[in-house]
Amino acid sequence: MNLGGLFESDVPRDDLPRYVAPLAEPLENLALTLAWPIVLVNLVGTAFGFYYYGFQFARTPVEMWIFVPDSPVATLFIALALAAWKLGHPQEWLTALAFFGNIILGGWTVWVHLAFWADFSYLHPAMRQFLIWSHAAMVLQAFFLHRISEFSPAAVGVATVWYAVDTTVDYFVPVRGELHHTFLPLARDEPVFLGANALGVAVAGAVLLLMLALYLAMLTRVEKERAWRDSGRAGRP
């Protein structure tokens, strides 16, 4: 078995700067080569996530369930995006949703676990480490998606609208029942630090990560267009 071949790929790679493509090319190639196993891992993570959110489903009106399992929906997006690409039917909008979702929700989970470290002590240490590192991996896997997507303005627009609505319903306007953000281990109005309460800290992370995802998506498109001009082509071959 040629293990070295796992780090090679015939999928074209645009010449992008590290601030939009931080992963080394061999790692990107490995992810593309192992796309189906990555799909499976993300589907397993999605199933676990829906189980993990069971108690929130029980206290949320059914019509609002779509806004409850944030991280599982993000892993489902990337599983579907990769599967569609492998089957020869890539969907720009789906890839954009996966990019946004994995950066926002992966990063947010790491953020709240660090911000509320003492308050998550009720979790088994192994579960805490699993949650932190698995969500950190979500952020990393978002950064090889530029290999299978052009980050079209329309697709980025779809992802922006969806996650703007999701953030609004989670933290600002619940529509039905209570706010629909992921469970926090302390009361929303509990003072935390620098004069902020727990909800404020959670909101800050979510909004900043949404802005970061949008900025990186737009910047990736700009850098891809530059790379296309430099190579004398208009898009993916």
Side-chain angles (χ1 to χ4, degrees):
M1 181 180 180
N2 180 18
L3 295 179
L6 293 173
F7 297 92
E8 300 173 354
S9 175
D10 58 1
V11 179
R13 186 184 192 277
D14 294 313
D15 182 19
L16 302 179
R18 281 296 175 91
Y19 48 79
V20 293
L23 299 181
E25 185 174 357
L27 288 179
E28 293 180 358
N29 292 339
L30 179 64
L32 295 171
T33 301
L34 299 178
W36 282 121
I38 291 175
V39 168
L40 179 59
V41 168
N42 277 278
L43 289 177
V44 171
T46 298
F48 172 78
F50 275 88
Y51 166 77
Y52 188 84
Y53 279 90
F55 75 97
Q56 283 194 242
F57 282 124
R59 51 196 274 189
T60 302
V62 174
E63 60 271 24
M64 301 303 293
W65 278 8
I66 191 173
F67 297 106
V68 172
D70 292 324
S71 293
V73 169
T75 53
L76 179 61
F77 281 151
I78 199 167
L80 294 176
L82 287 173
W85 169 69
K86 286 295 290 183
L87 293 172
H89 301 286
Q91 302 295 322
E92 287 282 320
W93 62 273
L94 196 52
T95 307
L97 285 168
F99 181 82
F100 273 64
N102 280 264
I103 288 177
I104 296 169
L105 282 315
W108 184 87
T109 300
V110 174
W111 163 252
V112 295
H113 271 268
L114 295 178
F116 307 140
W117 183 262
D119 301 287
F120 276 108
S121 60
Y122 69 91
L123 290 173
H124 189 282
M127 176 59 78
R128 295 185 77 177
Q129 292 299 316
F130 168 73
L131 290 172
I132 291 170
W133 291 106
S134 63
H135 284 81
M138 287 174 61
V139 178
L140 288 180
Q141 70 179 354
F143 287 105
F144 72 81
L145 294 176
H146 71 88
R147 294 285 291 274
I148 65 171
S149 174
E150 295 186 359
F151 282 73
S152 69
V156 171
V158 168
T160 301
V161 169
W162 167 251
Y163 278 104
V165 171
D166 183 62
T167 300
T168 299
V169 171
D170 275 356
Y171 300 103
F172 301 103
V173 184
V175 182
R176 288 290 311 279
E178 297 185 344
L179 295 171
H180 302 295
H181 60 77
T182 299
F183 168 78
L184 299 176
L186 67 173
R188 292 173 181 147
D189 59 356
E190 181 76 18
V192 183
F193 49 77
L194 298 179
N197 59 21
L199 181 62
V201 171
V203 170
V207 172
L208 289 173
L209 285 162
L210 171 58
M211 294 170 61
L212 177 64
L214 174 58
Y215 177 70
L216 288 173
M218 294 173 64
L219 194 57
T220 300
R221 174 66 182 195
V222 169
E223 292 294 347
K224 288 176 81 71
E225 288 182 336
R226 177 199 55 76
W228 300 336
R229 287 195 303 271
D230 291 347
S231 63
R233 59 187 176 88
R236 285 185 301 186

